[in-house]
Each structure stands twice: as C-alpha cells, then as structure tokens.
Amino acid sequence: MTLFINSLSYPCNKYQDFSNRIAIFVSLLIFIYIVTLMAFSRVFVVFMVIVTIVPKFNSAKEFIVGDDSGWTINFDYKAWAEGKDFQVGDTLVFNYPVGVHNVFRVNGTDFQNCSKPPLSEALRSGNDKIVLATPGRKWYICGVAKHCENANQKLFINVLPQTQSPGAAPAPSPIYTKFHSSRASKRPFIFW
C-alpha cells in the first residue's frame, strides 16, 4: 500500500514525467504565441502610423532647375517652369559649377531690375537646395557679373499650397462629431 501512495504523490514513473514535460512545453508554446501576438499588434500599429504619414511626405517633388542644363546662362527658365506645379514642400535644386554662378532669392522688383542683394545672401555651393516652405511667388537670379541682365539667368515660379492625397486625412468619426457638437466646451475621451 505504501508503494502505491508514493507512486501517486511523486511523478516517478516515466509516463507522468513525460506528461508533465508535455504540459510545460505546451504552456511555453502558448506563452510564445501570446507574446508574438502582442508584438504583432505593436508592429501593426507602427505600420498603420507609417502608412498614414508617408503619403504626406511622398507628395513632395524635387525639381532640378534647368533639368540637364542646370543653372546656367542663355537658358529659357520661363519655358522650363511653364506647366510645372510647384507646391509647398517641394524642393528646387540649382546645379552649376562652383564659382561660375550663384543663386539669390529676390523680390519681384529686384527680379525685374536684376538687382542683387548683398553677397552674403548668395547661395554658392553648386548644388543649392531650396525647400519651398510657403505658397506664393518666388524669384531667383544669378548675381555673377551680368548673368541676370544680359544672359537671362533668372527664374520666377508660383508656389501652390500643398494638396493632400485623397486618403491622407480621414473624416472625423460620427461618434466624435456628435460628442464634440453636443459638448463644445469639453474635450472627448479618446481611446488608444
């Protein structure tokens, strides 16, 4: 009788030991599965945030001023700019040999008269990048010698406000709209 009781209280036989190992292994698999699901949900949330944000940044374009000719003399920049839609967030790239040209941002009057600002305001890297940060008219000239006056090295563009892609800004949910309109002075509780 003592031998029977001992065999019940201690997992001495090989079948009980094997079943205990299987139970531990199954518990470990369940734990790994739950951790994987939790990690996947975090990855999914990060993925959704990136998918929502990226279209806004991808809409910006980079324009090489003068295309293959670059920023140079005797080029028709008016014809080059015609038909292009410059928007806030786009970048203008002025490519030219260092020391041969420069770039000044000027106002409309200085553009018409080819009046250059102080030399300290010149861009002269040979690969000048200008991000179009605000909408409106923008004027650029070369301030070297008489490149603007005699060789027409000047550019005028009109920058449009940034347009959003069709799925970039989702409409507010009906719950938020209803809650917000009925309690204008209180902020809604947002679940994350």
Side-chain angles (χ1 to χ4, degrees):
M1 181 75 163
T2 308
L3 182 60
F4 178 72
I5 292 174
N6 283 342
S7 67
L8 287 178
S9 47
Y10 299 106
C12 292
N13 82 35
K14 61 183 174 182
Y15 297 110
Q16 287 177 335
D17 188 40
F18 182 73
S19 66
N20 284 342
R21 288 183 182 184
I22 289 179
I24 290 170
F25 180 72
V26 169
S27 298
L28 182 62
L29 285 178
I30 291 171
F31 175 76
I32 291 171
Y33 177 74
I34 291 171
V35 168
T36 304
L37 282 178
M38 288 172 45
F40 176 74
S41 66
R42 288 185 183 142
V43 168
F44 181 73
V45 168
V46 169
F47 174 76
M48 291 307 293
V49 167
I50 290 172
V51 166
T52 303
I53 292 173
V54 166
K56 294 178 185 176
F57 294 116
N58 280 348
S59 63
K61 297 177 189 171
E62 186 173 273
F63 293 95
I64 308 296
V65 176
D67 296 324
D68 292 336
S69 297
W71 184 238
T72 188
I73 58 173
N74 300 319
F75 185 87
D76 189 354
Y77 291 103
K78 183 177 182 181
W80 174 83
E82 196 168 307
K84 290 181 173 58
D85 289 326
F86 301 99
Q87 295 184 3
V88 169
D90 290 347
T91 303
L92 293 178
V93 180
F94 292 84
N95 290 324
Y96 55 90
V98 177
V100 176
H101 303 291
N102 60 25
V103 180
F104 284 101
R105 179 167 180 218
V106 295
N107 62 31
T109 305
D110 289 342
F111 180 82
Q112 291 298 325
N113 299 328
C114 287
S115 300
K116 21 183 186 181
L119 191 57
S120 62
E121 295 179 25
L123 301 174
R124 46 182 173 237
S125 74
N127 184 25
D128 302 318
K129 295 183 180 189
I130 300 172
V131 176
L132 304 173
T134 58
R137 297 174 178 196
K138 311 291 182 206
W139 299 271
Y140 303 94
I141 64 170
C142 178
V144 174
K146 299 251 183 210
H147 291 186
C148 180
E149 298 97 325
N150 298 338
N152 204 32
Q153 192 174 2
K154 55 186 185 176
L155 170 67
F156 162 73
I157 62 170
N158 188 29
V159 179
L160 304 172
Q162 187 176 29
T163 59
Q164 287 188 331
S165 58
S173 70
I175 296 171
Y176 175 80
T177 307
K178 182 179 177 185
F179 186 85
H180 187 65
S181 62
S182 65
R183 298 184 180 159
S185 64
K186 295 184 179 178
R187 300 185 96 201
F189 182 78
I190 299 173
F191 293 98
W192 273 101

